[in-house]
Each structure stands twice: as C-alpha cells, then as structure tokens.
Amino acid sequence: MKPPEVDRIAGSKAAVAARRARAEVKRQVSSGERTASDVLDKATPENPAEASLRVSELIGSIPWLGPTRTARIMTELGISPSKRVGGLGIHQKKRLREFLVERQKRRIETGALVVLAGPTAVGKGTVSAFIRDHHPEVLLSVSATTRPPRPGEVDGVHYYFVDDAEFDRLIEGGEFLEWATVHNAYRYGTPRAPITQALAGGKSVLLEIDLQGARQVRETFPEARLVFLLPPTWEELVRRLTGRGTEDADEQDRRLVTAKRELEAQDEFQYKVVNADVETAAREVVSLMPTPSGV
Ligand code: 5GP
C-alpha cells in the first residue's frame, strides 16, 4: 500500500535532513573540530545523526585515512561495512574506541609532515617564511640545492647551497627524502634526517617543495598531508611571476609554462589553500598540524 502523499513528502524531507546532519558530523571529524571517539560516545538514540552514521563513514572521515585503509581497519576490528555506529555490539564498540584513542595519541606524539606545493610564484616561499617566523613549534625543512644563492639568501637558513659533486654524494648516501631537478635547471633535495628526528620528537614539519617532490613524498610517506597553494586568479599568478624581477625574460617564460602545467595537478592534492592573504593561508596550513599540547 502506498503511504498518503503528505506522509511521503514528510518522510523524504526527514531523510534529507538526516543525511545533512550526518554530513555535518563527518565534516566536523574531517576538519579536526571533533574527534571520532566523541562521535562514538554520543551515538545514542537521542543523537540520531551520530547513531545512524556508518562506522566506515566515521573512520573514513578521519584525516589521513582513505578508503583502502578504512576497509582494512574495519576488517581488523571485525565490523561489517554496513554497520552503523549506533548499532555496534559492546565488544565492537570497545575495540573501536581503543583503536580511535590509540590513533589519536599516536598522531599527537609524532607530529605531522605537511607538504606545501603549488605553481611557481604562487607565494609558497612567503607562506612558509611566515610560518617559520610565527610558528617556532613547526620545523621548516631546509633543502639542499645546486642553485647559486640570490642576494640576501643565507646558507643553512634558506637553503644549503652545494655543488653538483656534493649533491651527488647526498643522493648516493640516501640522505634525501626526495629530490628533483626543478625548471630543468638546478637540483633541489629534502634532507631526510632532520625530518624523521623532528617527527619522532612530536614536532610537525613543513616542506616547501615542487610538484615532483610532493609526488615522491606521497609515495614514500603516505601519511604526509599534501597541500596545494592556489593563486586567487591566473592573472594574479602572472602578475606575481613577472613582478618578482629576479629572473630574466627567458627564465620567466620557462616558469610560466611550468606554472600552467603545475596548476593542472591541483586535484591530486588532499588540501587546497588559496593564497589571497599570506597570514590566512599560513593559518590554514598550520591548522593541518596536530597541536603539540593537547589531546
Ligand atoms: P627557488 O629557486 O625559487 O628557491 O625554488 C624553485 C622551486 O624549487 C620552488 O618551486 C621550490 O618549491 C622548489 N624546491 C625547493 N626546495 C625543494 C626540494 O627540496 N625539493 C623539491 N622537489 N623542490 C624544491
């Protein structure tokens, strides 16, 4: 028997509202506003949004966990893919809570590796310099490069300026987390040791590297958070690129071509931040790192 029209409309409105409420819970977890264990604790009949959320959706909303790892975790916890948070058995709930609390602790103890990439001249350097100057709790990785220093650049602060032979030695010694030839010109590489040390000590690390480097980090360090910095508009990017005045016309053309290609890669990135204002962009990048102090 078909339900009366008014009931049907009311029912579908309620379903839409319920879906919206669940989407909001997922958003809170994925943005870090709320922990997944808090959602688990609130999943009672009085809180239908939390209770009717699927466990897989809850786990999948936790930053850094993609569908493959979510599926593996669900299997390990012995929870079926269709299970809703409110429908968990006592033992399943206990296992899930232990897993979530353990994970949260580990995240806070180990610090995050955040990679800031983006097209040439988008302002990666300015945003990371702002973070270096205002967030001493974050380690800004210093790369090695074969490029000669620009006026004002200090060895060991902006880069380690090395020659080709030294760069080769660093590659052979396995000293780099990643390295690449950038703009078909000079080589740049991220020293591995300071990063692993900082992460183990609970400090978050920021890498400001090119796209090829970001892709390598994604492969070798899947937990890294990849951020793509975007210009407010293409015109603004061109203005920033030509206005910098540190490169000759040929070099500017080369960089413009690279920038266009690089912009096309934005969808490979988990996070996108628009650099309209340096301070706001820096704050958004830092918000992806766990705070050292709190659980
Ligand atoms: P610049 O020569 O203007 O300082 O940097 C040129 C490009 O090299 C920038 O896009 C910068 O992000 C990138 N870069 C700097 N350090 C590294 C690094 O260690 N690895 C990689 N792959 N790229 C880097």
Side-chain angles (χ1 to χ4, degrees):
M1 200 176 73
K2 264 173 69 179
E5 184 64 9
V6 274
D7 286 0
R8 216 174 49 74
I9 292 171
S12 81
K13 271 195 182 149
V16 169
R19 241 192 336 267
R20 283 220 183 103
R22 284 196 295 270
E24 173 58 14
V25 173
K26 287 194 280 181
R27 189 202 59 77
Q28 290 167 345
V29 174
S30 65
S31 69
E33 259 168 60
R34 193 173 174 189
T35 62
S37 51
D38 179 63
V39 175
L40 179 63
D41 292 337
K42 301 267 161 49
T44 57
E46 297 78 56
N47 298 305
E50 284 82 353
S52 64
L53 192 67
R54 285 186 204 281
V55 180
S56 57
E57 288 182 298
L58 176 62
I59 297 180
S61 313
I62 301 172
W64 306 16
L65 293 185
T68 316
R69 285 164 94 195
T70 299
R72 203 182 60 219
I73 292 162
M74 298 280 291
T75 310
E76 281 167 13
L77 294 172
I79 298 173
S80 77
S82 59
K83 198 69 159 180
R84 294 183 189 269
V85 182
L88 286 169
I90 297 176
H91 297 296
Q92 287 178 323
K93 197 164 174 176
K94 185 162 168 279
R95 282 199 299 275
L96 180 57
R97 179 174 292 106
E98 280 168 5
F99 164 78
L100 293 174
V101 168
E102 188 48 43
R103 202 169 183 289
Q104 225 166 294
K105 262 206 300 223
R106 223 177 38 223
R107 248 194 72 194
I108 282 150
E109 280 161 8
T110 60
L113 177 62
V114 175
V115 177
L116 185 63
T120 305
V122 72
K124 283 177 290 176
T126 321
V127 171
S128 44
F130 186 92
I131 294 173
R132 182 188 59 215
D133 296 343
H134 294 82
H135 293 273
E137 77 281 12
V138 176
L139 173 75
L140 178 60
S141 162
V142 179
S143 299
T145 181
T146 56
R147 163 169 84 60
R150 294 191 189 117
E153 283 184 334
V154 179
D155 187 39
V157 175
H158 300 96
Y159 284 104
Y160 295 106
F161 296 100
V162 299
D163 59 18
D164 273 310
E166 176 64 12
F167 204 93
D168 287 340
R169 260 198 303 280
L170 292 168
I171 295 174
E172 274 158 33
E175 307 274 345
F176 288 134
L177 185 68
E178 62 72 40
W179 70 270
T181 303
V182 181
H183 307 307
N184 299 322
Y186 300 108
R187 290 184 291 172
Y188 296 78
T190 305
R192 184 194 302 274
I195 294 175
T196 41
Q197 258 165 34
L199 291 177
K203 205 169 171 138
S204 288
V205 178
L206 182 68
L207 305 187
E208 187 250 290
I209 58 179
D210 88 321
L211 197 58
Q212 310 166 71
R215 288 183 179 132
Q216 289 178 50
V217 175
R218 190 177 53 202
E219 292 304 312
T220 56
F221 205 101
E223 264 140 14
R225 299 181 163 200
L226 277 83
V227 184
F228 197 87
L229 197 62
L230 284 165
T233 58
W234 169 251
E235 289 69 30
E236 177 59 20
L237 185 65
V238 174
R239 204 184 59 75
R240 288 179 194 176
L241 189 62
T242 49
R244 192 152 70 173
T246 46
E247 292 87 20
D248 60 28
D250 277 356
E251 178 63 14
Q252 280 185 10
D253 282 350
R254 248 202 322 271
R255 289 185 174 216
L256 211 54
V257 171
T258 309
K260 215 172 217 151
R261 206 183 46 235
E262 286 175 332
L263 262 183
E264 288 165 6
Q266 54 180 286
D267 290 336
E268 291 173 35
F269 284 71
Q270 234 173 334
Y271 303 95
K272 289 182 206 175
V273 170
V274 176
N275 184 21
D277 165 66
V278 174
E279 198 174 333
T280 312
R283 197 177 325 116
E284 281 184 47
V285 173
V286 171
S287 75
L288 297 172
M289 301 166 180
T291 38
S293 53
V295 175

